[in-house]
Structure formats: structure tokens, C-alpha cells
Amino acid sequence: MASIAQWVEGARPRTLPNAIAPVLAGTGAAAWLGGAVWWKALLALVVSLALTVGVNYANDYSDGIRGTDDVRSGPLRLVGSRLASPRAVATAAAVSLGVGAAAGLVLALVSQPWLIAVGAACIAGAWLYTGGSKPYGYSGLGEVAVFVFFGLVAVLGTQYVQVLRVDWVGAALAVATGAMSSAVLVANNLRDIPTDRETGKITLAVRLGDARTRVLYQALLALAFVLTLVTTIATPWCAVALMALPLAVRAAAPVRAGRGGRDLIPVLRDTGLTMLVWSIAVAAALTLA
């Protein structure tokens, strides 16, 4: 029986900035258009957090029953380490995704009902990442999905439900957030290249190889800060978000240095922290502007 602490670790709290940052950025973009609505932002946050925890448990379950996590250098996995039964982890995933679906349904009904279809696509994407007979996460499409769901959909969706429109500032923030979210997954898959290759999990990192994956990680972080500079065209206040740049440099240091295995685990934490600080700063800047 897994302990409460192990269940929390299995939810992968280091990935939660991927859920929080898009809502903050999208709410800042809504405030820029003069229409931030706090309770809709809160509902969007519940959706984002629940789906992130749900996809983490779903990945734990699917990778565990396939044997992908039998040999692992990364954070704890409940099924792979035999601390929890596959059924228990699958149930935790279903409950988390159900909470996200319920909050999303309310948000869609008070905004635009067609958003229900977007929510359904998000839940399907969460489960099919490593679940089903042909998981797209095993075909090198994980980073693309993260960019779309945690960047474009999450940021622009948060902006849209509050003001019922999007603009170029929201789009720039969506691409920047998607780039940083994808960088988290790139770092994770960079660490797992040896074990993923052995188990037949063909991630983008496995396809690119070690050296090019390290370049991709750094390029995604650089893109996020280039787009931050672009948003200063709307308001110079957005330059405040560059305060997260030193954190990005620290996050990328082990990647640049050629570190591997467990030495890359801090990269996930520091990339998430970079994204969180950046999103707080950009949301505050756009609200003040």
C-alpha cells in the first residue's frame, strides 16, 4: 500500500507549474483586454490542475502495465515500483479527470457550450498519451500535444472564457507557455532516452538523440523569452517577466553540461519554476497595464 506521501509524489507535483502558468498567462491576457473574471479564472485553474494530475496518474498506470517503468531513473512511479495496484492508479486518474471534466463543463456552459468539445479533446489527449493500443507519446508526439494543450488551448482558452475573444498578446503568451511546457517534457524524455529506447518507447528525444534533444530544450526556452520581448510592443511592463531569465539559465545548466540520469531531475523543477515566475510576472504586468 502506497503512503499518502507516495501518492502525492506519484501525482508529480513538479509538473504542476505546467497547469498553473497557462491560467495565469491567460488571465493576464484577459486583463489586458479589460475583462478578467476571477471566478472563471479559478474554475480554469481547477480544470488545469485536475487534468494535469489525471494525466500523470494515467501515464503511471499505462507505462506501469506495459513495463516501461520497470527500470527508471526519474521520480517515483506507483505501478512500476509495485507500491499501488494498476486498478488503484487508474481509478485515481479517472477521478482526477472527472473533476476536471465537471469544472470544465460548468465553465463551458457559462461561457460557450462548444467549449465542451474542446474539453473532451483534452481528456482524450490526456488518456491516449500513453494509453490505448497506439499511444501517441510512444510515437514522438508528446511534445506536440503538450504545446497544443498546455500552451495554445490552456492560455487562449483561459483568455477566451473571460472575455469571449483572443488577441495577439494572448497568442504570443500561448506559444511561449507551450514552449516552456514542452521543454519540461523534453528534459524528462532526455533523461529517459536509454530506458525508453530499450522498452520501445519512441519519444521525440529517442528519435532526435541526446545531442539534438539538448539543443531543442534550450531553443524552446529561448523562444519563450524572445516572445516575451515581443509582448513589450503591447506594453513595456511585460519586460518585468524577464526576471525569470536567470532561472531559465540555471535550469538549462545541467543540459548544457551534458549531465544525464538523475542529475537531470532538477531541470524539471527549475524549468517549472521558471515558467511559474514568468507567468506571475507577465500576468501582473498585463493587469497593471
Side-chain angles (χ1 to χ4, degrees), residues 114-143:
W114 60 264
L115 291 171
I116 295 173
V118 177
C122 291
I123 292 173
W127 183 260
L128 295 175
Y129 172 51
T130 55
S133 59
K134 294 183 178 179
Y136 63 84
Y138 281 48
S139 302
L141 297 175
E143 286 80 1

Side-chain angles (χ1 to χ4, degrees), residues 59-70 79-80 85-87 130:
N59 293 347
D60 191 309
Y61 165 78
S62 297
D63 284 344
I65 63 174
R66 283 190 170 89
T68 309
D69 289 338
D70 288 349
V79 176
S85 69
R87 182 176 180 178
T130 55

